[in-house]
Every structure is written in C-alpha cells, then in structure tokens.
Amino acid sequence: MLAQGVGIVETIVVLLYLLIVVYLGYLGWRRTKSAADYMIAGRQIHPFVMAMSYGATFISTSAIVGFGGVAGMFGMSLLWLTFLNIFVGIFIAFVFLGGPTRRMGHRLDAHTFPELLGQRYQSKFIQVFSGLVIFVCMPLYAAAVLIGGSEFIATKFGVGYELALLVFSVIIAAYVVMGGMKGVMYSDALQGSIMFVGMIVLLIMTYSKLGGVTAAHQELHAMANVPSLFKGIGFKGWVTMPEFGWGQAKYDLWWIVVSTIVLGVGIGVLAQPQLAVRFMTVKSKRELNRAVLVGGIFILIMTGVAFVVGSLSNLYFYKHETVTGKIVAKTENIGVIAKKKRALEARIPCTLLHIDTNNDGVADVDVVEKGHDVVRDGQVVLPASKLMPAAEVKDLGDGMVEVRPRAVAFLRAVVQTKDGWMFNTDSIIPTYVTQALPGWFGLLFLVTLLSAAMSTLSSQFHAVGTSIGRDVYETVTGKHGHGIGVTRLGIIIGIVIAVLLSSYARGGYFIARATAIFFGLCASAFLPSFFGGLFWRRMTKAGSIASILVGFVITAFWLLFIKDEEARAIGLCFKLFEKHSLLLDKPNWAVVDPLVVALPISIIVAVVVSLMSKPPSEEHLRKCFRGV
Amino acid sequence: MLGIESKGILAVYLLCIASSVLCVVYGLLSWNRGETVPDDVKW
C-alpha cells in the first residue's frame, strides 16, 4: 500500500487539472465544424501541439508504470526500447513516413489510417477489415493503459479499483466524445507538458538520492550477486544484458526482452493507427520537421527515465529504504503469488509485516520479512529462505520499529489483490515514488500519470470510434457525412469493452504484454501495406489484402497456440490439445513474440503476391503519388 | 564510463542520448524547410 494519503491540497490540484482538461475538450467542441475537424483536426494543427500530442499518445502509463516496472524486474536492457522509440518511433517515422503519409492522406482525402490504406489500394475490404481489427483489438491496449491509471488512483485515493476505473473512463469519454480530435490534441499538449516536467524531476531526484549517476550505476552493478528468481532464465543483473543464445531455458529472458518488449513495441509503433493519423493533422512538412525536435527529447525523457528509474529502484529498496512505524499485524507463512496465469499459480511462502507509518492504526506499508523453503519428500524444491529478502527490524521503543526491507524491486512490490497477496510488477514504480520521494512529488507524479493515461486513452478511443464510424459504417452503408454520430457511439462501446477487460485482467505484467501484443499485431498486419503503399508503386490491392490477412492470422495463431503466457491465459490450446503451448517442450519458442515470425512472412507475402497480380492503374497511381 | 561496466548497456545508454541529439539537430536544421497541399485534390 502507499505511504501517503490524499489531502485537501492534492484533491484540489487534481480537480483543477481535470477542469482544465474538460475545458480544452469544450474548446475542441467549439472549434469543430466538420467531419474533418472531428477526425483529423481540420489538418491545421500547430507543430508543438502535434509533437506533444504524438508523444503523449505514444507514452502512457504502459511505458511509465508497466514497462518501468518490467525494467525494475529485468534491468536496463529495456533501454534498447528507448533507442528504438526515438530512432524508429520519432526520427524514421517523422522524417521518412510522416511527409508521404500526410501528402497521400491529403491527396486521397483520407480521414483515418484504414481509410488511407483502403483508398491507396482502392479496396473497401481493406478499410473495413482494418477498421474492425482496430475496433476489436484496440480496447485490449486501452485496458492496459486503464489498469495503469486506475491502479495508482485506487491506491492513492484509497478508493476501490473498480470505482477508480469507472470515474476515470467517464471523464475521458466526456471530452473525447465532445471535443473530437481537436479536444484530444489540445488536452494532449497540456498533458504532455506535465508528463515532461514530472519525469525530469523524477530522474534528478532519483540520481541525487542514490549518490549521483556514476555511484548509482556502480552500486546497482555490484548488486548482480543478489539472489534472484530470474537467474534460471538468463538474468545477470540490472546493468547487464540477459544471456543470449538459443535452445535452453536460460536464454528465455533475452528473447522475452528483445522479441516481445523491444521489437514488438519498437517496430510496432510505425503502424499504430492512432499515431499515423497524426501525420495527417498538420498542413505541411515543415510542421513535421519541427515536431522531430520536440518528439526526440520528449521520448528520451519519458521512456529513458522510466526504465532507468525502474532499474535503480532496486538499489533504493535493497540498500537505502527504511520504514519507521508500528507493526500492526504479521502474516505468517502465506503463499504470495509470484506468477499468475490460468491453471498455473506459483506462490512463494513468506512472512509479511504490515506497518503503520502515519500512526492511525492502519497498516499502510507491507513488506516481506522472510521466505520459507518449500520442502517435498525431505528435499528443498524452492529455497525461498535464500531467494526472499531478509528484512532487518530494529526496535526503537514505545512499540515503534525501524524496518529495512532489503528487497529487490519485484519482491518489494507486494500488494493485496482479490486472489491474495501478490508480487506485482506494475506496483514497482508507484511504490518507489511514494516510499522514496517527498509527498509533493507524489502529487506531481499523480498528475503525470493521470496525464499519461488520459492522453493515450483519448486517442485510443478516438481511433476506435472513427474505425467503426468512418471505416465500417460509412464504407458499408455508403452514407457519407453521417459517421460522427456512429463514431461517438463507437467510442462509448470501445470504452465499455476496455473497462470490462480492465476489471478482469490484473497482475502478471499484463500492462506491458497487452501493449506489446497490440503493437506487434499492428506491425504484422499493417506495416507491409503501409510501407508498400507509400513507397512502392507496384504494391497491389491483392498483395495488401494477402499481407494483412497473413499477418493477422499468424499473429492470432501464435498467441492462441504457441506463446505460452497468452495461450495459457486464453486457454483454447489446452482445450483442444491438452497442453498450454504446442511448442512448450521446445526451449525458447514459447517466449518468442509473434512479430518475429509474422512480420517477415507478411512482408514476403506482400511482395510475392503484388508481383504476381495486376498493377494498379497509372491514373490512380498518379493521383496517389503526385508530390509524394 | 558513467559507472556502467557492461558494454551493451553503456552502448544503448549513449545511443539513446545520441538519437535524441540527432532529432534535435534535424529539427533545427530543417526548421524552415518543408507549402500546404483539398484544393489540390480538386485540381
């Protein structure tokens, strides 16, 4: 639980922030006169607003809480994702993709990403199918972001998780439904600015608390010998890459980090519908050039800080943290969930201390005191007494104690869920912020997280709405100009689905995995068609359809039958074959991301089918490519 | 350097900063480069 409650000042600041956001939504509504205004902000957005909106949409609580927590677990190897986010997600995207996307979008009068593909290939099927993929799958990514925001609000304000989820969703729905793309982008710019300040302060305070940049890194490096639950899968420390290789379980971590987390998200960003559409909201290439400057700095600070601080939190929890208060309860020898999956729940027997730090009789900090070995037939099968932290408790008199948890980040983030006590990766960053940093920063971080979640969710819901309103309804019925009402209805349906998913899925680093799944799916299904459409005149409608279907089907097959975590959670593979993954007995395959297999095949299919099919007409190509 | 002994992590730490600097330099050099393209659609 978090160490500090919410006072009147914090409540006022949050309400003031929400009022400003709703006002910006109202401003967007006032300035929305047409479908183009509602869907692509009238193609007249200022470069600063565009860059901050792109960055704030790109970076959500997934990056800060979800991936920051994964960095707390696995270390700074996640910085490869920061590099790809800047170099691919900003530089390549804006310099090489942004201009052609903007120009072709204007040429073809496209208002959405699926419409751009549909018009380029003269195919209603592509537009409708892409719209449906977004409508069905985007809520999964939105659920990941919602969980990140709601977890923090729930613990911070002491309200139920479901209530936090509901209030949070209603506020976002209000300004997206009302303000359209203009409302979304105006509020994004404000939220991005808040996020930037919050993360800069977080970085400075963390390094200064841990003795400076060099000292902090050296001390964290020296912690590589601390017992870890992840050594068996290749973990070698928080400032070292995991062990690389193929064919043994000890290489699993390298493939988890590189294939799912780094490649899945790092490449997937290029084909994100809610990001690509932003290239169509500016009036010239000049705005995109200027946006590169803002975006490059913004992404470095947002993801770089989250991953570095996530890693360094291990040093704080293990060597620096002390908790002073009264032990109000002790839970002896309870199984704490370390891994939660359908049909597999790994619990580690621990003794927990529940400490009251603000003298109100209620425990607000929970730490592991020690672990207990799991013994079967006289053999120790899990040496938890060595793997778990050994907290030091010093008696201060008057019932007060000083506890040094001496835990690494993953084992420090122990939270109570409806399934029992759990080590929750997604709680690492919130726990670090509330335990290590002063109360006023907790408030700034709260607004930072609210901003990160809301700026991404608003764009996700906007993309969900336009996919059903513009890409499915208008395309199928042919009733052009009536899409805004259906779009608004689509936004509400998307929010309801995301909320339902969010209340079902928590724990097991769901946030990072759900984000990676959506990014990987978009890359495998859309990237060849998007690139081919912009840069290869010979790319045909048949090539695009084949590539989209192959990318989608292989990704779905891999998630349902091969990738252990997801296949186990869905359960279809077990029902059909009575095992959780078809390649579970083959080392490493079950942790490889679908993108690694689906994207290369999707590219090959796009090229081969295009070369075998009739090229598009010269007239259509001239319309698409004049000036591109 | 910077207290990071692993070459892989040091490389990526510096690459992150370098790629961000690349974005800043590109943005400054092309600040005024890049005019508006519906009239053209009609045309």
Side-chain angles (χ1 to χ4, degrees):
Chain A
M1 291 294 114
L2 299 177
Q4 58 208 54
V6 168
I8 189 81
V9 175
E10 290 176 305
T11 308
I12 289 170
V13 169
V14 169
L15 286 175
L16 189 66
Y17 159 77
L18 292 175
L19 272 175
I20 295 171
V21 168
V22 171
Y23 170 72
L24 290 170
Y26 167 75
L27 206 64
W29 176 71
R30 286 283 307 273
R31 294 180 180 180
T32 294
K33 312 285 184 204
S34 67
D37 283 341
Y38 193 84
M39 296 193 186
I40 46 175
R43 304 188 199 273
Q44 296 287 323
I45 281 290
H46 188 277
F48 175 78
V49 174
M50 188 272 182
M52 290 307 270
S53 175
Y54 183 96
T57 297
F58 185 177
I59 301 302
S60 65
T61 41
S62 283
I64 300 171
V65 173
F67 286 81
V70 173
M73 198 161 53
F74 298 147
M76 290 194 192
S77 51
L78 259 76
L79 283 173
W80 284 103
L81 176 56
T82 297
F83 168 64
L84 281 187
N85 281 343
I86 299 168
F87 189 70
V88 176
I90 297 293
F91 191 75
I92 300 284
F94 277 69
V95 174
F96 298 104
L97 282 181
T101 303
R102 188 194 66 78
R103 286 190 294 268
M104 195 177 282
H106 281 222
R107 288 262 155 274
L108 302 173
D109 200 25
H111 289 55
T112 65
F113 179 73
E115 188 173 20
L116 178 71
L117 295 181
Q119 295 280 6
R120 161 65 177 84
Y121 296 112
Q122 298 174 290
S123 164
K124 282 188 176 182
F125 171 79
I126 289 176
Q127 185 174 352
V128 172
F129 183 79
S130 305
L132 284 173
V133 168
I134 292 165
F135 182 72
V136 171
C137 300
M138 184 78 91
L140 178 72
Y141 175 26
V145 180
L146 263 178
I147 291 172
S150 304
E151 289 266 18
F152 195 66
I153 294 169
T155 44
K156 187 85 184 162
F157 282 84
V159 297
Y161 171 77
E162 275 74 16
L163 179 65
L165 200 58
L166 198 66
V167 172
F168 200 34
S169 312
V170 167
I171 292 168
I172 297 163
Y175 78 86
V176 178
V177 169
M178 187 172 69
M181 186 59 112
K182 284 190 174 181
V184 167
M185 291 185 82
Y186 293 161
S187 52
D188 279 358
L190 166 77
Q191 290 158 343
S193 306
I194 293 171
M195 290 157 68
F196 188 80
V197 172
M199 295 306 274
I200 286 267
V201 175
L202 177 62
L203 182 71
I204 293 169
M205 293 186 73
T206 296
Y207 273 132
S208 63
K209 192 166 194 72
L210 299 175
V213 175
T214 302
H217 292 164
Q218 282 172 336
E219 280 203 73
L220 186 61
H221 182 79
M223 279 178 61
N225 297 326
V226 172
S228 165
L229 293 170
F230 308 113
K231 291 231 159 127
I233 56 171
F235 178 77
K236 292 163 67 183
W238 291 274
V239 203
T240 308
M241 287 296 288
E243 197 161 352
F244 169 66
W246 181 261
Q248 293 180 50
K250 67 176 182 177
Y251 304 131
D252 274 359
L253 183 57
W254 193 93
W255 286 97
I256 290 170
V257 168
V258 173
S259 82
T260 298
I261 294 171
V262 173
L263 285 181
V265 177
I267 293 175
V269 66
L270 289 176
Q272 286 291 293
Q274 76 281 18
L275 295 180
V277 76
R278 272 167 174 61
F279 297 136
M280 298 194 266
T281 63
V282 292
K283 63 180 179 182
S284 83
K285 178 74 164 67
R286 189 178 305 158
E287 277 75 13
L288 293 174
N289 290 340
R290 293 177 182 185
V292 171
L293 187 151
V294 181
I297 299 172
F298 184 83
I299 299 295
L300 173 72
I301 293 303
M302 298 311 298
T303 64
V305 170
F307 302 162
V308 166
V309 168
S311 303
L312 287 171
S313 70
N314 288 283
L315 179 58
Y316 172 76
F317 290 132
Y318 191 75
K319 289 199 168 175
H320 297 259
E321 185 184 26
T322 56
V323 181
T324 305
K326 288 181 177 173
I327 296 176
V328 293
K330 194 171 186 176
T331 309
E332 296 276 5
N333 207 350
I334 188 169
V336 180
I337 301 167
K339 195 171 194 178
K340 181 171 168 279
K341 297 177 187 173
R342 190 185 178 117
L344 171 67
E345 211 171 65
R347 288 178 183 258
I348 300 177
C350 301
T351 292
L352 302 178
L353 299 178
H354 310 288
I355 307 162
D356 167 22
T357 62
N358 46 19
N359 211 15
D360 61 0
V362 179
D364 50 343
V365 176
D366 307 292
V367 299
V368 173
E369 184 188 34
K370 59 185 174 185
H372 303 275
D373 290 346
V374 178
V375 180
R376 272 190 211 126
D377 303 329
Q379 296 284 313
V380 175
V381 291
L382 178 67
S385 61
K386 289 177 185 163
L387 290 171
M388 290 293 108
E392 296 169 0
V393 182
K394 190 170 149 191
D395 194 349
L396 301 176
D398 280 346
M400 298 290 282
V401 293
E402 182 187 270
V403 179
R404 294 172 64 87
R406 295 183 57 76
V408 297
F410 178 62
L411 301 176
R412 178 63 185 80
V414 58
V415 295
Q416 192 162 24
T417 68
K418 60 187 175 197
D419 300 316
W421 289 95
M422 179 197 280
F423 296 119
N424 187 7
T425 317
D426 298 335
S427 299
I428 290 175
I429 295 285
T431 303
Y432 169 74
V433 166
T434 47
Q435 290 300 121
L437 303 175
W440 65 264
F441 181 76
L443 172 59
L444 175 59
F445 191 71
L446 171 65
V447 180
T448 297
L449 275 194
L450 279 175
S451 298
M454 291 172 81
S455 56
T456 303
L457 283 164
S458 59
S459 302
Q460 290 169 329
F461 293 142
H462 186 269
V464 166
T466 55
S467 70
I468 206 76
R470 178 87 177 181
D471 299 319
V472 178
Y473 175 78
E474 284 196 11
T475 307
V476 171
T477 63
K479 290 181 179 173
H480 287 282
H482 299 276
I484 291 186
V486 182
T487 293
R488 286 179 161 144
L489 182 65
I491 290 170
I492 292 165
I493 294 170
I495 289 175
V496 170
I497 296 170
V499 168
L500 291 175
L501 276 171
S502 305
S503 58
Y504 170 74
R506 286 169 82 188
Y509 66 105
F510 172 83
I511 295 179
R513 283 190 299 123
T515 304
I517 288 171
F518 184 74
F519 274 59
L521 172 66
C522 285
S524 302
F526 301 139
L527 201 55
S529 292
F530 186 34
F531 260 73
L534 293 177
F535 300 113
W536 192 34
R537 288 164 183 255
R538 188 65 181 76
M539 179 89 174
T540 66
K541 173 179 170 179
S544 172
I545 290 174
S547 162
I548 288 173
L549 290 177
V550 163
F552 180 78
V553 168
I554 292 177
T555 300
F557 173 80
W558 202 266
L559 291 172
L560 289 171
F561 297 105
I562 306 294
K563 192 142 187 275
D564 182 31
E565 294 264 4
E566 284 72 24
R568 198 181 287 265
I570 296 162
L572 181 65
C573 187
F574 190 78
K575 267 188 183 161
L576 295 177
F577 304 104
E578 296 201 336
K579 53 183 183 178
H580 291 294
S581 161
L582 296 180
L583 295 179
L584 202 53
D585 47 349
K586 303 268 189 292
N588 309 133
W589 277 108
V591 296
V592 168
D593 195 74
L595 173 112
V596 176
V597 178
L599 181 58
I601 295 175
S602 179
I603 292 170
I604 292 166
V605 165
V607 172
V608 170
V609 175
S610 288
L611 291 175
M612 290 167 62
S613 52
K614 192 182 148 200
S617 73
E618 264 309 311
E619 185 193 350
H620 177 66
L621 286 177
R622 210 175 324 134
K623 183 182 168 189
C624 292
F625 284 93
R626 196 176 68 84
V628 171
Chain B
M1 189 177 174
L2 294 172
I4 300 173
E5 295 182 27
S6 158
K7 283 179 184 167
I9 299 294
L10 180 62
V12 74
Y13 198 93
L14 296 175
L15 268 175
C16 289
I17 295 168
S19 54
S20 189
V21 170
L22 173 70
C23 289
V24 171
V25 170
Y26 177 87
L28 289 173
L29 291 178
S30 59
W31 191 257
N32 278 321
R33 282 168 43 202
E35 285 304 312
T36 302
V37 180
D39 287 349
D40 296 88
V41 175
K42 265 185 224 162
W43 180 86

